[in-house]
Amino acid sequence: MDEKDWLIITTIYEEKNITKAANKLFTSQPAITYRLNQLEEEVGVRLIWRHKKGIKFTPQGEYVVQYAKEMLMKLQQTKDYLLNTSDEFAGMIRLGVSSNYARFVLPDVLKEFSEKYSNVQFKVFTGWSYEVLKEMEQDNIVLGIVRGDIYWQSNKVLLNRENLCVISKDPIDLPNLPKEPRIVFNTDPKLQQMMDSWWYSNYSQPPSINMEIDNIETCTKLVSRGLGYAIVPELAVTDMPELHKVTLRDQNGQPFDRPTWLIYKETDALYPAVQHFIDFLTGSSAPEEKDSADGPTE
């Protein structure tokens, strides 16, 4: 078995469907099936049971999947080591980033960093913060930028804190919000929990939702057209000065905010390219925390 076989096995396991696995690997279903049959002949046991509802791995197949995952991880670690130790100003950084940070901040960050370190390459994964944390735990990425309260046992650096705010095209009185049309967007569970917590600590009735949108950019555009108000992270409207913004506050008058963290493992910071990026993001002087007892991931 080689790297291609490991990818085939793990992708089939993830997709639970050979056709979907073939599409993800940019190859054909017959090619995947042919190689899978060859592998079963080579090892002398059946790896997958095929049935009408899809496929299921045999116990032997499950064992091979774990072996393939371990080998892919070791191969990636070897590639990282070779790339990141051959030249202090070159290398590959596997970075995981919270979706909204990736939309509104990451492009400028990568542009500025790449102007200084042009030989450093990036492989970027974006998703909800809990998905980034999962990728970190599985060693699929070496640096993570996540938002909200998280539990991370290794290195954790606070990048910033961001307020939540009510946005609208025209000034709006907060006591009247339950009567106003609200636009909501699909977001991570922890952020939604924060917004719901603020709402029900201030109002006894639910919001009057007239639009549900799948992304925050469309939501803010609709607000700018006067179709309703929304509650969003301040980051999403930094380039929309025409909108009216009111910072959410708790019962003590303190802003409702959430932190953005840079997380990584000590061993990965030994690579020069990774350390350069950490220093770039933090200014090499930001406060660092270890073994934090924060709440669950966002």
Side-chain angles (χ1 to χ4, degrees):
M1 296 178 68
D2 56 20
E3 179 183 5
K4 185 176 181 180
D5 295 328
W6 303 333
L7 283 171
I8 288 174
I9 290 293
T10 56
T11 305
I12 293 174
Y13 184 79
E14 291 169 358
E15 298 296 331
K16 299 295 188 293
N17 182 284
I18 292 180
T19 300
K20 291 181 179 179
N23 292 335
K24 191 171 182 179
L25 293 171
F26 301 102
T27 187
S28 66
Q29 183 269 334
I32 293 287
T33 301
Y34 175 76
R35 183 53 190 154
L36 188 58
N37 291 337
Q38 284 188 316
L39 288 174
E40 290 182 329
E41 289 182 9
E42 289 176 12
V43 299
V45 295
R46 183 179 292 277
L47 301 178
I48 293 175
W49 292 107
R50 299 167 178 80
H51 52 82
K52 292 182 179 179
K53 294 184 179 180
I55 59 174
K56 182 178 180 180
F57 279 76
T58 65
Q60 296 89 342
E62 295 273 358
Y63 183 86
V64 172
V65 168
Q66 294 306 311
Y67 167 80
K69 287 182 176 180
E70 291 174 7
M71 295 306 295
L72 285 170
M73 183 179 70
K74 290 179 180 179
L75 178 60
Q76 185 61 63
Q77 290 173 341
T78 300
K79 290 179 178 179
D80 286 349
Y81 177 82
L82 295 175
L83 281 170
N84 288 291
T85 57
S86 59
D87 185 339
E88 183 181 356
F89 300 105
M92 167 68 75
I93 298 177
R94 290 180 286 116
L95 175 66
V97 185
S98 172
S99 296
N100 285 340
Y101 188 97
R103 290 186 181 106
F104 301 111
V105 180
L106 188 64
D108 289 336
V109 168
L110 295 186
K111 181 179 184 298
E112 187 176 348
F113 181 81
S114 297
E115 289 173 351
K116 188 174 182 180
Y117 300 101
S118 59
N119 290 326
V120 175
Q121 304 170 26
F122 285 88
K123 184 175 182 181
V124 180
F125 167 85
T126 64
W128 303 132
S129 290
Y130 73 87
E131 294 173 320
V132 173
L133 190 63
K134 182 179 178 181
E135 293 294 307
M136 286 288 298
E137 292 169 343
Q138 296 178 347
D139 290 319
N140 294 327
I141 55 180
V142 298
L143 289 175
I145 298 176
V146 294
R147 289 145 65 79
D149 293 329
I150 67 160
Y151 178 74
W152 176 250
Q153 291 186 333
S154 192
N155 298 65
K156 185 170 76 167
V157 183
L158 179 65
L159 296 179
N160 61 57
R161 302 194 72 89
E162 174 193 13
N163 294 334
L164 298 183
C165 59
V166 174
I167 61 170
S168 56
K169 185 175 185 295
D170 300 308
I172 190 170
D173 292 329
L174 292 188
N176 293 330
L177 280 191
K179 300 177 182 179
E180 299 288 341
R182 179 172 168 182
I183 305 171
V184 298
F185 59 95
N186 184 35
T187 188
D188 66 84
K190 276 294 177 180
L191 176 56
Q192 187 62 55
Q193 185 179 12
M194 283 186 67
M195 294 189 292
D196 290 344
S197 174
W198 176 84
W199 182 272
Y200 288 106
S201 67
N202 286 277
Y203 308 106
S204 59
Q205 66 265 54
S208 177
I209 297 173
N210 71 330
M211 291 189 186
E212 297 183 18
I213 309 301
D214 64 353
N215 66 82
I216 195 170
E217 295 101 322
T218 304
C219 175
T220 57
K221 293 294 185 184
L222 292 173
V223 171
S224 71
R225 300 299 190 272
L227 295 174
Y229 76 93
I231 299 176
V232 301
E234 203 167 30
L235 179 68
V237 290
T238 53
D239 62 345
M240 303 181 75
E242 72 279 9
L243 291 181
H244 183 72
K245 308 174 187 68
V246 178
T247 299
L248 301 191
R249 297 185 182 276
D250 62 22
Q251 298 300 318
N252 298 317
Q254 297 300 311
F256 249 68
D257 62 17
R258 62 176 182 160
T260 298
W261 301 97
L262 172 66
I263 59 175
Y264 59 95
K265 297 177 180 177
E266 191 74 41
T267 51
D268 292 323
L270 297 176
Y271 298 134
V274 174
Q275 187 60 61
H276 288 322
F277 193 62
I278 292 171
D279 292 342
F280 176 80
L281 286 174
T282 64
S284 70
S285 61
E288 185 170 306
E289 298 185 6
K290 294 184 181 180
D291 302 321
S292 171
D294 287 334
T297 62
E298 67 164 321

